[in-house]
Amino acid sequence: MTSHNWIDLAQDADTGIETLRAHFEGHAYDPHWHDSYLVGVTEQGVQQFNCRRARHQSTPGKVFLLEPGDIHDGEAPTADGFTYRMLYLDPQWLTREISTMFDKAPDHGELGFAHTLTTDDALARATTLAFATLHHGELKIVRQTALDGLLERLTTHLHWRTRYGEDPRLPLVAQKAREYLHAHAHEDIGLDQLALATGVDRFRLTRAFKAAFGIAPHAYLVQLRLATARRLLARGEQPATVAMALGFADQSHLGRWFVRAYGLTPALYRKRCSNLPDS
């Protein structure tokens, strides 16, 4: 990060929701994904990002909505950069809370967002209020009231959909490769090994994977490990321990990838989420 970039992150102990406010100039972060639902508002500047095979530009007041697994990046196309605030909503928490507002969920159903970027002033205000109450540790009843307001407005952008076994939108070889990566994420997987598991050569595999997910298999594997690293660090695990457990060469190797994806170091992320001192 340059000296002009900054991140302010916290985690609500009751819900596990992370709140983040940040400013970036130029390149912000590499393609990555989260295990959470992301609801954010651009405060200042132009927030440009690629997601779902489209380029989006979020300007002040617009709300961006990302699902778990949505690969996205971030950059500022203008010199003054961009500032935004965001909520990371745990999927289990969101499903539990939102199910009371919807009719019965379909069998094998999961929540999805209708749009990645939207202009909805009421949702922007509800997101900003929920962020403020959580980030600054307001009284529990105040936080819960603000979250209820957010969820009530969010239902206009959420819908139940059938969870796919095989996703008809994606090539089968890409799906098989993704499943294999998830099952063997901690191993030192080679392209030959992945190609053998999917029944095609390395070149067809890489082309199919990049066409389906926007990044190469090796980059997807790194992001998969980083998503796990976030969960472990938030629980208070030490960066060095996490790096070793997830197959990174060492702590500095984890740190380089973590900063490129999330804009802050593993140690700082751990401190902000767990409130535990470094040992």
Side-chain angles (χ1 to χ4, degrees):
M1 292 191 296
T2 69
S3 59
H4 300 291
N5 296 346
W6 51 264
I7 289 178
D8 181 16
L9 181 142
Q11 187 179 57
D12 178 60
D14 290 331
T15 60
I17 294 173
E18 289 181 25
T19 53
L20 177 143
R21 185 168 180 258
H23 175 83
F24 289 101
E25 297 177 11
H27 175 77
Y29 30 78
D30 288 352
H32 66 284
W33 80 82
H34 298 273
D35 291 334
S36 308
Y37 287 87
L38 274 55
V39 181
V41 178
T42 302
E43 295 182 22
Q44 167 269 323
V46 180
Q47 182 176 2
Q48 183 168 283
F49 63 98
N50 294 290
C51 184
R52 299 187 186 180
R53 304 182 188 180
R55 175 168 290 184
H56 307 274
Q57 287 193 332
S58 182
T59 51
K62 287 191 176 181
V63 182
F64 48 96
L65 303 164
L66 280 73
E67 300 173 20
D70 275 347
I71 298 173
H72 60 285
D73 56 12
E75 65 175 336
T78 57
D80 58 347
F82 65 90
T83 309
Y84 68 101
R85 61 186 65 195
M86 185 159 63
L87 303 172
Y88 297 81
L89 307 178
D90 175 75
Q92 292 183 338
W93 176 87
L94 181 61
T95 300
R96 184 176 63 250
E97 294 293 320
I98 215 80
S99 62
T100 62
M101 299 180 177
F102 275 124
D103 292 332
K104 185 177 182 296
D107 292 337
H108 308 295
E110 64 183 357
L111 290 166
F113 287 125
H115 303 286
T116 302
L117 189 64
T118 184
T119 301
D120 181 337
D121 292 340
L123 179 59
R125 289 192 299 270
T127 302
T128 299
L129 179 60
F131 175 93
T133 60
L134 292 170
H135 200 71
H136 300 295
E138 296 285 356
L139 292 172
K140 187 171 186 176
I141 193 170
V142 176
R143 285 180 278 133
Q144 290 178 333
T145 301
L147 283 174
D148 285 350
L150 171 65
L151 294 175
E152 186 174 10
R153 189 61 196 173
L154 200 58
T155 56
T156 63
H157 298 271
L158 280 165
H159 59 94
W160 288 110
R161 67 181 180 202
T162 302
R163 184 181 292 111
Y164 291 115
E166 292 182 0
D167 189 334
R169 300 170 299 179
L170 300 176
L172 185 58
V173 64
Q175 294 182 66
K176 286 183 176 179
R178 179 175 60 177
E179 291 170 1
Y180 190 89
L181 289 174
H182 278 262
H184 302 271
H186 298 172
E187 300 175 15
D188 186 17
I189 301 170
L191 271 179
D192 286 331
Q193 181 180 349
L194 193 58
L196 183 63
T198 55
V200 296
D201 61 66
R202 299 199 313 271
F203 306 101
R204 285 194 182 92
L205 166 64
T206 299
R207 283 198 299 270
F209 200 94
K210 289 180 72 173
F213 303 114
I215 57 176
H218 76 275
Y220 188 95
L221 176 61
V222 170
Q223 297 306 322
L224 182 59
R225 291 177 176 179
L226 289 177
T228 305
R230 281 178 70 101
R231 293 196 300 271
L232 296 175
L233 291 164
R235 294 207 300 257
E237 296 285 347
Q238 288 288 344
T241 304
V242 172
M244 181 179 297
L246 296 182
F248 289 95
D250 51 32
Q251 183 176 340
S252 63
H253 187 215
L254 166 64
R256 287 194 299 272
W257 280 104
F258 204 90
V259 170
R260 287 171 59 179
Y262 307 127
L264 73 170
T265 66
L268 181 57
Y269 179 79
R270 174 185 179 272
K271 182 178 180 181
R272 295 287 176 84
C273 289
S274 67
N275 295 316
L276 292 172
D278 295 333
S279 62

